[in-house]
Structures are given as C-alpha cells and as structure tokens.
Amino acid sequence: MARPRKAWVIYAIGAAHSATPAAAQPIGAALLTDTAESPAHLASVVTDAEVDAAMVRMREWLYAQQDPATGSWDDPHWPELRRQGYHATAETAMVAYALLASGESYQDPRLAKAIDFLKAREAESTYVAAIRAHLWAALPDGFLPLLNREAAYLKKAHRGGRFYYHHDSPTWSNSLTQYGVLGLWEYQKRGGRVDPETWRAVAEHLLESQNADGGWSYNHTKLRGGGASTTSMTAAGAVMLQIVQQQLAAEALPGDPRLADALARGARWLDQHFDPARNVGYGDGDRFRYYTLYGIERFALAGGVSRLAGRDWFSDGARFILDEEAGQGSLRPHRNDDTSRRIDTAFALLFLARGRVPIWASKLIVPDRLVGARPYDLHALTRYLSDQREAELNWQAVSFDGDPLHWLRAPVLLLSLPGPIKLSGLEKAKLKRYLDAGGQVFINPEGPRSGVARWAEGLARELYPRLEFRNVDRRHDLASLVIDLAGPDGRVTPRLKTLNNGVRDLMVLARIDLGAALLGDARRGRGRAEAWGYFTNLYAAATGRGQRGSRLQHPWRSARPNDPQVLPAAETPPITVARVVRAGQHDLEPLALEAVGLELHRRTGRALRVVVRTLTEIDRPLDDGGLPALVHLAGVDATQLSDEEAAALIRYIDRGGKVLVETVGGRGGFADGLSIQLSEALGRPRYWLIDPHPVVTGQGLPGGRDAREVVYRRYTQATAPPGTAPLIGALDRDGVPAILFSTYDLSLGGLGCRTYGINGYRFDSARALWVNILLWAAR
C-alpha cells in the first residue's frame, strides 16, 4: 500500500495542518541515501544552464514574430480579438512584459518600440489594463503615470469583490478578478493607494465562491467549464487570498481566520492535484496549461511554497516547458494559430524567469505547536531586499517533514516564535544537519518576556556543547557590513547574539523582537530602522554580499553538471579519508567531506568513505587492514601538535599515507603554524606545488580537473588578491610530497557556503582541488 502523500499546507494564520510525518531517517549516517532531497538526488531533472538556453531561444523567437513597423505583437487576424475590441494591445503587453521580466532591457530598440506602441494606446479591458500595469510597474519612475492610468481603469472595473471585463460589463470571472487583483497589487507595491475595503470585498467574494472541495472555478456557471474546480482557478483563488492577507497585514488590520482556513484548503487542493502538464478539471486538461503554470508560480512565490504533490513545482514545470519547447524557441500550441502560440510562449517565459529567482531565506514552520502569527514577515523582508538590490529575491516555507538539504537552497532559516517549543530528537538532528551543511538559523522572539532566548541558548548547548553565544559588537558583519549600526559613542546595543564555530555564525539570536519591524512598510524610529539594518546586514553576510544562484543551483551541486563522468573500474574500492577531531575541540565543519564526496562521485563514480579519528589513532588499520588514503587535519588558530600526535602523524606518512592540513575559513594561523612545526620535525623545507604536479593539473588522475587557474572568493580578491594559481604547500617524505598545506579555505568552498569573510577558493575551484587531492592520495 502506498504511503499517503504529505499535504503541503501554505503558511497562514490559524491554518490547519494535516501531514503524514516522514519516516525516520538516520541523519548523516550514510553518504548517499534514498530520500527525495538526498545527496544522491541533488542532480535536478533540469539544470539552470538548460533553462537559460531555452529562455534565450524563446526570447529570440518572440522577437522574430514582432511587427517591425509598429513594434506590436497583436494579431489582426484573430477574429475573437477583433470582435472583442477591448482586448486590443493584450498580446503586445503580455509579450513585452515577459521579455522585460526575463532580463531584456527596456532600452533595447525592439522592446522600446513595443513600449512606444503601448504608450500611444489606452487599455480597454481588465485583462489588458492588468497586464500593462505589470509592465509599467517593472519600469523606472517615469512610467508611473501610465501605471496610475491602468490602476484607475482597474478600480472602475471592480464591483463587490469581483472584476468585470470593463467598467460597464455584466460579465465577471475569477480569472478577471485574479488579474485585477494582481494589477492593483503591482500598483500598490510602487506606492499607489488601494482602499482596504477593496481587499476586504475581494476576500468576501473568494470565501463565497470557494467550492466545497477547496478549489475555485471560473465563475460558478456553466460558462467555460462550469463550477468545477480547476488548477488554473484554484491557483488564482489562492494567490488572491495571499495578496489580500498581505495587504490587510500591511494596514495593521486584524487577520481573519476564515481567510487562513480557505487558503489552507485551496493549497491542499493544489497539492493533491498539481500536474505541470495539465490544467486539472478543465476538460481534458490540455487548455491554458501555460497560463496555469504561471498561476502556480504566482501562488508559490507569494506564499513561499517550495513543493507541490511532493515535488519541486518549479523543476517539474520547467522540465515540462523544455520538453514542449524542444529547442525550437516556441511551444506546441493548443490551437492552430500563432496568437495562442505567442501567448503560451510568453506565459512559459514568465514562469521560467520568475520561478528561477534565487531563494535567500526559508521560514521554518512547526505545525501543531506554538508558532508565530506573522505569515508574511519574511515575504515583506524579501520584497524590501529585492527593492534595495534592484533584483528579485524569493523565500520558501519549510517544515521538519522535509529534508535539511532541501532547506539548504536558502542560506538563512528563520524561526520566529512567541514562546519555547519542544523539538524531538529527530528534529534537533535535522536542524543540526542543516547548520553543519552550511546553513544559518535566525531565531526571533515574538514579543517581550517570551522565554525564546533562554530556550535557544539551551538548544545551542545540546547541539554544540563546546560553543556559546556572544554579543554582536560594532566590528561584527551583522552590525556593519552594509549599514553601520554603531551609535554616536561607537557602541552597538547588544540586540543580537551569535553562536560562532570559529569560522562562521551558525545561529543568530535576536534579544528583542526584530521581526515586529517587518509587519508594516513604515520604518520610522531608531528601533525600527535598526531592525531593518540588521536584516540587511544579515542578507549580505549570509550571501557573500548578494551572491546567489538560481533556485535550481543547490550549494552542494557542482556548477559544471555537463562534465563527462569517468566511470571507475570494476571493484574499485571507495576512497577513505580520516577526519581528525582533536580532544577538547569543536568538530569543525563535519559535513564538508560529505559534500565533496558528491563531486567525487559525480566526476569519477567513486564513493568517499569518511572515518573520524584522533591524531594518535590515524595509523590504526581499517577493517580491511589498510590505512586511510588521506588524513584531513583542519583548524583555525595557530596550534602545536603534542609529541605523541606528531609521532603518530610521521608513522602514518612513513607507511605511505597522505595528509592535508587546512586553515578552515582561511583567516587563522593553523596550517601555517603546523607547516613550520612539521618542517622542523621532518627536516625538510616547505614549498608550493606547481605545474606539472597532478594536484594542480589533474593529469594522470581519472576524473581529475585542470586547476592551474583557479578563482578565489570575492572577499579574498578584495582584501589581498593572490592571482590565479592555486596555493597548496607541501612537505616531502622520501622525496615525494606527503603533507599538503592550504592556508586558504577549502572546506566551506566544498560545502558551497557563501558566508562573507571567508578567505579561500570559489566553489568550483575548491571542489576541483579537493577531487585532485583525493585521487592523488588514493592512487
């Protein structure tokens, strides 16, 4: 019997949650597991490079359909458009917005001509005004008068929570209402004013028109599909509810539990029926598929939804679109006319462009336990950061039912709580796995005297007994990286505490309710301004000053997915690495080798086995009688080995073993200090590995990479540019390199962690060096 599918419930105030908990999985017990988001399945069904190439083809195909004389895409031969004159300019507006949203410049002469065409003609229908509103809202302030004109039309087309074809039309639909709401939302985001009564009226209409199964139909009549719930209209209803709740919250108006329940029911319907290839409920599902996908994208992005029907909705939708596009630049039309083909291609381009937006933060939802009543705090923060950096960002909601590697698509995990919560052992293990995999948790107490700070400090002691929270001072990136939060006396009020492992912040704890600042748009007063400043610095610190890949680029996945794989010979054993943990010290970045093992397996087909040893045990034989191929000795600050540790290390290399000594984070004296001590112990000078050594060239190593030219992190290039050659030091034993030293970080590069202030190699370069070192040590 199949296990029931987990129902994804969109995060909303008071939303019920009915989910089947995932079966218990051992956390970190194996390098490769069979969970949906496990390392073995991190290779996406579609790559970012594939999506990018398809978008280029689609843009060029659309440009090829443009009327060069007028700049228009409107089709004068479509009888319906000619008969319904109020749809005029709809196609041009739709294609122009898709091109703009996918990265085209409005100053491109081809797009500029289309914009001039639209400027000279007014909208004559709700659909057209709403689509044009999206276009003007995405352009500079000089276009705001045009946005105001469209908003005025939309306001006239609204009556009683419904939007009609035009201001005196007797016909409404949930499709029209969706676009009217979306158009006014774009208008309000650019500073326009919409009467809160409009949002309340829309809310009442949505409650009234929702079907018993939780979905929505076109308009509850026999017109165009009758009253049956469809994917397209349920996505429309759900996204409208999200927008209404966000707008009412921004007005500091009380939440309505009926809206939360309706949204949860609608989200559940979508989770149960989502199919990227079908508009379920509408005939055979073949009509309006790309319109439906764009609706799914709007719903998912507005609510931070990351999965539907147990799958990544964007990856599934992108795969369907790319299969339909098949390298030709346009999609297979559902009607035999060029108009539907152009509109479908525009909708698909919008889905790919907006759906791949980088995810910078996740919100951890803890169903059935005490959680906060702020469903759109992270949404508001994400919009603010998007505006500040003039590039769109996204967020996602996650739960303990999911895999921590899925959470890792975002470098920050927000846990906002009005009080302490009880976590199970498995939940604590999942949280620690996310942190060890390169993530960071921001814990915000909702309200004074919540007890959250004491709870968080107790949780930290359980997860990291050797670490403790410390107050943020003016030198910390969270207080100064982008916005300097120091007062006139140079001090920073200790409003944040961090749990740092010596290289990066694992946990950030707000001492006061900073999340309250995100509830409205006003940022007046010192306390509120400081809160927004802290969050701005948090984003910059966690993303390496704004470096984020698309949502398809997982930190543990190589950016070079198309490199040929070298298959191992039959019976090739795994490469074993001994990770050294020194007595009394924190276990530093324990999952770095797991991430590196994925790259090794992808390139060579060989597995990586990791054992944990103390230095005095590294020459102890493995179960098969051999020794680890490599010993990884990592640290931060300068230190000295005891005589016993140094003797064990020398015994190990005398038996043919190889050692890598690394300064994790690249800003301490660990590797440099040990290289001096071991150079004196061995009586051998230190030197740099250069071409033609295989660690540098990859030559003679099946699956090795040419690393003669590497790329260093942005921080390294800004502070002390080292050039383009790798800097790996070495010590010989019996005439061959036995101990390698890296004063630049490799471990966080292997994890794909973007934290600012790391002195080391960019991800691909770090992984290339790691693979070469492993293959060299094992040969």
Side-chain angles (χ1 to χ4, degrees):
M1 181 176 177
R3 182 168 65 88
R5 184 170 60 221
K6 289 179 288 186
W8 176 260
V9 179
I10 184 66
Y11 183 48
I13 302 173
H17 183 86
S18 59
T20 302
Q25 299 279 349
I27 302 299
L31 189 63
L32 303 178
T33 66
D34 61 358
T35 57
E37 289 289 343
S38 69
H41 293 80
L42 282 178
S44 174
V45 296
V46 61
T47 68
D48 194 63
E50 288 179 288
V51 170
D52 191 63
M55 289 173 60
V56 170
R57 293 192 297 268
M58 293 161 77
R59 285 193 292 262
E60 289 307 311
W61 184 86
L62 287 169
Y63 277 130
Q65 311 305 307
Q66 187 180 26
D67 183 339
T70 65
S72 167
W73 279 276
D74 278 33
D75 187 347
H77 304 295
W78 190 6
E80 184 179 2
L81 280 182
R82 297 294 292 167
R83 185 170 62 253
Q84 298 178 355
Y86 44 80
H87 279 325
T89 77
E91 191 177 356
T92 299
M94 185 71 199
V95 174
Y97 175 58
L99 290 169
L100 187 68
S102 69
E104 292 292 276
S105 170
Y106 76 98
Q107 296 174 321
D108 183 295
R110 298 168 295 180
L111 191 51
K113 182 168 282 191
I115 290 172
D116 288 340
F117 173 85
L118 293 169
K119 287 168 64 177
R121 293 161 177 81
E122 293 190 23
E124 299 179 56
S125 81
T126 294
Y127 276 127
V128 179
I131 295 168
R132 289 163 60 114
H134 283 72
L135 178 65
W136 307 136
L139 290 168
D141 288 351
F143 292 87
L144 288 181
L146 295 168
L147 175 60
N148 296 339
R149 186 176 69 182
E150 314 299 355
Y153 187 100
L154 293 174
K155 290 177 182 179
K156 290 180 180 179
H158 167 257
R159 298 195 298 276
R162 301 169 175 175
F163 282 77
Y164 292 72
Y165 272 108
H166 49 86
H167 64 89
D168 58 355
S169 170
T171 306
W172 67 272
S173 72
N174 281 327
S175 178
L176 285 161
T177 303
Q178 172 188 208
Y179 273 81
V181 168
L182 288 171
L184 289 182
W185 191 36
E186 294 298 322
Y187 165 69
Q188 184 151 319
K189 286 190 288 186
R190 288 299 303 270
R193 176 66 177 166
V194 178
D195 189 334
E197 289 303 319
T198 298
W199 304 123
R200 286 198 183 94
V202 171
E204 291 299 326
H205 161 69
L206 292 170
L207 293 172
E208 177 186 311
S209 61
Q210 188 173 26
N211 290 337
D213 63 3
W216 279 269
S217 63
Y218 185 76
N219 63 359
H220 266 318
T221 72
K222 293 182 179 180
L223 176 66
R224 296 193 181 183
S229 298
T230 65
T231 307
S232 56
M233 291 300 96
T234 302
V239 77
M240 285 189 281
L241 278 176
Q242 290 166 332
I243 292 170
V244 165
Q245 289 196 110
Q246 291 168 20
Q247 298 313 305
L248 295 179
E251 297 284 347
L253 297 172
D256 186 337
R258 297 179 304 158
L259 302 183
D261 180 68
L263 180 53
R265 292 171 58 219
R268 192 175 298 117
W269 192 98
L270 290 171
D271 182 71
Q272 293 168 351
H273 295 89
F274 172 67
D275 181 342
R278 299 181 61 231
N279 180 12
V280 176
Y282 193 99
D284 61 5
D286 191 51
R287 294 291 299 275
F288 308 117
R289 294 179 297 177
Y290 307 104
Y291 166 86
T292 299
L293 275 178
Y294 184 54
I296 288 290
E297 174 259 302
R298 298 302 303 245
F299 156 71
L301 296 191
V305 177
S306 57
R307 301 177 75 77
L308 287 170
R311 304 189 304 272
D312 184 313
W313 60 266
F314 178 72
S315 185
D316 274 15
R319 180 74 276 162
F320 168 70
I321 288 172
L322 265 62
D323 287 345
E324 291 286 294
E325 185 265 343
Q328 64 184 0
S330 65
L331 302 172
R332 178 174 62 86
H334 62 249
R335 291 199 302 263
N336 292 322
D337 60 73
D338 288 338
T339 297
S340 67
R341 194 175 179 190
R342 286 192 291 266
I343 290 175
D344 283 349
T345 301
F347 271 125
L349 184 59
L350 279 168
F351 176 89
L352 295 178
R354 298 193 72 250
R356 74 198 287 234
V357 167
I359 300 172
W360 85 274
S362 301
K363 186 160 188 178
L364 183 60
I365 312 303
V366 190
D368 304 322
R369 274 166 282 181
L370 186 63
V371 296
R374 297 173 181 173
Y376 300 112
D377 48 2
L378 189 52
H379 173 85
L381 174 58
T382 301
R383 275 181 50 192
Y384 169 76
L385 293 173
S386 298
D387 291 343
Q388 292 299 302
R389 66 191 296 271
E390 297 183 346
E392 195 171 5
L393 293 169
N394 211 337
W395 64 285
Q396 65 179 1
V398 299
S399 75
F400 279 116
D401 287 339
D403 189 306
L405 290 185
H406 175 66
W407 309 351
L408 197 61
R409 293 178 186 275
V412 175
L413 183 70
L414 173 65
L415 184 57
S416 188
L417 298 170
I421 59 175
K422 185 176 181 180
L423 299 180
S424 69
L426 178 60
E427 289 170 338
K428 292 174 185 176
K430 285 190 172 187
L431 193 61
K432 187 174 189 301
R433 180 163 172 81
Y434 169 77
L435 294 169
D436 289 344
Q440 180 186 93
V441 173
F442 186 99
I443 301 174
N444 183 75
E446 297 181 1
R449 296 180 294 279
S450 64
V452 170
R454 182 176 298 178
W455 170 84
E457 289 170 344
L459 176 65
R461 282 193 296 271
E462 285 189 66
L463 301 183
Y464 300 99
R466 300 186 186 281
L467 304 180
E468 61 181 34
F469 277 103
R470 297 186 183 278
N471 287 331
V472 165
D473 61 25
R474 66 172 305 180
R475 297 166 298 178
H476 197 287
D477 284 345
L478 292 177
S480 62
L481 187 55
V482 177
I483 299 176
D484 188 353
L485 298 173
D489 58 358
R491 294 191 300 173
V492 177
T493 304
R495 299 192 176 203
L496 294 180
K497 298 175 76 173
T498 63
L499 190 78
N500 190 283
N501 67 355
V503 177
R504 62 185 178 94
D505 291 330
L506 301 171
M507 302 173 75
V508 180
L509 173 61
R511 300 287 297 277
I512 62 170
D513 186 1
L514 295 180
L518 307 180
L519 295 180
D521 289 333
R523 301 181 185 106
R524 297 182 297 272
R526 176 168 173 77
R528 189 174 291 269
E530 281 184 349
W532 286 93
Y534 274 128
F535 284 121
T536 300
N537 290 340
L538 172 74
Y539 166 76
T543 62
R545 284 187 172 269
Q547 299 181 84
R548 296 292 301 132
S550 87
R551 64 173 291 139
L552 290 173
Q553 295 174 324
H554 192 281
W556 280 26
R557 185 186 303 129
S558 172
R560 300 165 59 99
N562 297 320
D563 281 350
Q565 185 188 62
V566 177
L567 297 178
E571 306 300 327
T572 301
I575 298 175
T576 302
V577 176
R579 184 166 59 82
V580 173
V581 177
R582 302 183 72 193
Q585 296 188 11
H586 171 68
D587 189 4
L588 190 62
E589 304 302 350
L591 296 189
L593 285 171
E594 183 173 336
V596 169
L598 293 177
E599 180 73 359
L600 175 73
H601 188 267
R602 186 188 68 81
R603 290 198 57 79
T604 71
R606 298 186 68 174
L608 183 66
R609 179 188 177 200
V610 181
V611 297
V612 179
R613 297 266 175 99
T614 65
L615 262 177
T616 55
E617 296 177 322
I618 59 173
D619 61 337
R620 177 165 55 85
L622 301 169
D623 293 341
D624 61 7
L627 290 176
L630 181 73
V631 165
H632 183 216
L633 180 55
V636 178
D637 297 322
T639 188
Q640 289 282 302
L641 302 182
S642 68
D643 291 343
E644 185 181 10
E645 290 175 327
L649 193 65
I650 292 172
R651 287 197 305 271
Y652 167 76
I653 64 174
D654 281 343
R655 296 180 59 187
K658 308 296 183 185
V659 179
L660 171 63
V661 183
E662 176 198 357
T663 301
V664 179
R667 296 177 66 184
F670 184 79
D672 197 48
L674 288 187
S675 71
I676 294 173
Q677 180 185 5
L678 293 172
S679 175
E680 293 174 352
L682 295 173
R684 303 295 300 172
R686 300 174 293 169
Y687 64 94
W688 297 115
L689 290 184
I690 59 174
D691 186 358
H693 194 277
V695 165
V696 176
T697 66
Q699 294 175 0
L701 306 174
R705 287 264 297 275
D706 185 347
R708 286 173 290 187
E709 289 192 7
V710 295
V711 179
Y712 288 86
R713 285 176 175 261
R714 177 182 290 182
Y715 174 84
T716 305
Q717 296 177 29
T719 53
T724 60
L727 294 173
I728 304 292
L731 279 173
D732 283 356
R733 188 63 163 174
D734 297 329
V736 296
I739 305 177
L740 305 185
F741 300 92
S742 180
T743 57
Y744 289 93
D745 174 82
L746 289 166
S747 289
L748 291 169
L751 283 174
C753 182
R754 297 181 185 270
T755 300
Y756 192 71
I758 302 302
N759 189 28
Y761 302 94
R762 289 269 297 271
F763 308 155
D764 263 7
S765 294
R767 289 166 181 160
L769 289 169
W770 265 117
V771 169
N772 288 354
I773 290 169
L774 291 168
L775 293 173
W776 164 77
R779 69 177 183 175

